[in-house]
Amino acid sequence: MAQHVRDIMTSDLVTVEPQASVAFVARVMRDEDVGAVLVTEEGHLRCLVSDRDLVVRAFAEGADPDQTTVMQAASDDLVTVTPDDSLDRAVQLMREHAVRRLPVVDGDQPVGILAIGDLAIERDEKSALGDISAARPNT
């Protein structure tokens, strides 16, 4: 059984620049089949933005998707873990901050992302969330 974040994190990162429009970011999410992207500037992590952030903080507010930057839609509360953090620590942070994804960093450099689905598959792949997370999406 995996013990550390590095054992189950996704290291295939999708990143955008802070000045990217939310329309552009939405298309990136669609094309890359991801629900969150990391916002980086010169290789340094600025924030994580999820599909929910785009909907709640931009689209639902009537913001112009082509003029609104991803930074305007992103949450201010950035919670991260390191590759060497324990999975128990990651779970604790997800619960404490009510987040479903944690950027994995080495200093301020993103090296991965850990999603609640990754944890569900690792901890109990037969659970409903584990089963759903392990399934390949129908496209």
Side-chain angles (χ1 to χ4, degrees):
M1 179 177 254
Q3 297 295 315
H4 296 95
V5 169
R6 81 171 97 66
D7 299 328
I8 65 169
M9 71 181 197
T10 299
S11 56
D12 201 11
L13 302 177
V14 179
T15 63
V16 296
E17 294 286 322
Q19 64 274 19
S21 73
V22 294
F24 173 78
V25 174
R27 288 190 298 273
V28 167
M29 288 178 175
R30 177 199 62 205
D31 295 347
E32 297 293 328
D33 193 29
V34 296
V37 297
L38 298 176
V39 180
T40 59
E41 190 167 28
E42 296 179 8
H44 303 284
L45 181 64
R46 295 280 308 273
C47 66
L48 175 143
V49 68
S50 69
D51 46 6
R52 185 177 191 286
D53 291 332
L54 297 183
V55 170
V56 171
R57 293 194 182 94
F59 302 135
E61 295 296 324
D64 181 339
D66 291 312
Q67 299 300 314
T68 305
T69 68
V70 68
M71 292 302 291
Q72 292 170 297
S75 170
D76 293 336
D77 188 21
L78 180 62
V79 182
T80 63
V81 291
T82 71
D84 294 325
D85 280 332
S86 71
L87 294 180
D88 289 338
R89 171 84 175 130
V91 169
Q92 174 189 357
L93 286 170
M94 286 180 167
R95 282 186 182 137
E96 183 178 315
H97 295 275
V99 295
R100 296 176 179 174
R101 299 171 185 95
L102 294 170
V104 183
V105 295
D106 183 3
D108 66 349
Q109 306 277 318
V111 295
I113 192 163
L114 181 67
I116 195 168
D118 300 328
L119 288 164
I121 292 168
E122 174 60 28
R123 296 281 170 106
D124 186 4
E125 66 185 30
K126 295 185 191 301
S127 71
L129 182 57
D131 188 44
I132 292 165
S133 298
R136 295 192 47 88
N138 294 335
T139 54

